[in-house]
Amino acid sequence: QVHLVESGGGLVQAGGSLILSCAASGSMRSIHVMGWYRQAPGKQRELVAAIGSGGSPNYADSVKGRFTISRNNAKNTVYLQMNSLKPEDTAVYYCNADIMTIATLRTYWGQGTQVTVSS
């Protein structure tokens, strides 16, 4: 069984910063792409940032220059440093990872963490 556990969400004023963490645990052979998605009320879930096992990141245009994704492969953890936060960044943020277990390669999701940015 594989689990993704997120932490670090909360309430912050516009212009502030937060860092999200997501740790993968369980019976894993390897972790491929790890990423962060978000879903605001009434909107579809969207990709925020993703990073490959070799460390190549990509970002949604809306967060480029403000957010930084990184990972620690030794700790099976992905981070999202969020700076210059805006009210429109308010959403539930979900961690996502493509993980190879003994049986198969599949995508796993965390439970989500709320980020609220006040104006």
Side-chain angles (χ1 to χ4, degrees), residues 2-74:
V2 173
H3 298 280
L4 298 181
V5 179
E6 299 132 336
S7 61
L11 172 65
V12 65
Q13 288 188 332
S17 299
L18 282 174
I19 183 165
L20 305 182
S21 301
C22 172
S25 63
S27 300
M28 302 175 289
R29 282 190 167 180
S30 59
I31 303 176
H32 299 261
V33 178
M34 302 186 82
W36 291 93
Y37 286 70
R38 67 186 180 187
Q39 188 166 19
K43 294 188 177 181
Q44 289 189 329
R45 190 173 297 189
E46 62 175 359
L47 174 68
V48 176
I51 185 167
S53 57
S56 300
N58 64 83
Y59 300 93
D61 288 343
S62 59
V63 306
K64 281 181 182 176
R66 301 188 298 122
F67 290 11
T68 302
I69 189 170
S70 62
R71 63 190 284 173
N72 183 324
N73 292 330

Side-chain angles (χ1 to χ4, degrees), residues 58-118:
N58 64 83
Y59 300 93
D61 288 343
S62 59
V63 306
K64 281 181 182 176
R66 301 188 298 122
F67 290 11
T68 302
I69 189 170
S70 62
R71 63 190 284 173
N72 183 324
N73 292 330
K75 294 184 177 181
N76 296 328
T77 300
V78 63
Y79 306 94
L80 186 68
Q81 174 71 50
M82 305 184 292
N83 298 327
S84 302
L85 282 160
K86 304 175 180 180
E88 50 264 43
D89 295 317
T90 295
V92 178
Y93 283 70
Y94 296 91
C95 175
N96 159 288
D98 294 334
I99 298 174
M100 175 69 79
T101 64
I102 292 175
T104 188
L105 173 67
R106 57 161 284 194
T107 299
Y108 292 85
W109 292 90
Q111 78 284 1
T113 185
Q114 177 70 47
V115 171
T116 302
V117 184
S118 63

